[in-house]
Amino acid sequence: MWDSASDQGQRYYRQGSQALGNMDGATLGGLFAAGALGFAIAWLIFGQSHASRDVARRMSRSSESHR
């Protein structure tokens, strides 16, 4: 079972490396910009004040309400 999981992980790694190698600069820049925008939106939603424990507390309350 371990060998199968290891082989599959290696295949995924090779496929991901090939996909990233085939990207041009514009695509890679677009992905980076989308990630930065997502981070900025999350920062605005959860607020800049209070450290990460406040964010964790809010996320915990949010997940408890869905149970």
Side-chain angles (χ1 to χ4, degrees), residues 5-28:
S6 176
D7 290 342
Q8 187 168 0
Q10 288 176 356
R11 276 195 303 274
Y12 287 151
Y13 178 79
R14 280 194 303 271
Q15 289 173 351
S17 295
Q18 288 175 351
L20 287 175
N22 293 335
M23 275 192 207
D24 61 349
T27 303
L28 197 56

Side-chain angles (χ1 to χ4, degrees), residues 7-62:
D7 290 342
Q8 187 168 0
Q10 288 176 356
R11 276 195 303 274
Y12 287 151
Y13 178 79
R14 280 194 303 271
Q15 289 173 351
S17 295
Q18 288 175 351
L20 287 175
N22 293 335
M23 275 192 207
D24 61 349
T27 303
L28 197 56
L31 287 174
F32 180 76
L37 180 63
F39 179 81
I41 290 171
W43 186 266
L44 289 172
I45 290 172
F46 289 109
Q48 301 89 338
S49 62
H50 306 306
S52 61
R53 74 170 180 264
D54 190 41
V55 173
R57 195 176 305 131
R58 287 185 207 171
M59 292 174 70
S60 177
R61 275 191 238 135
S62 173

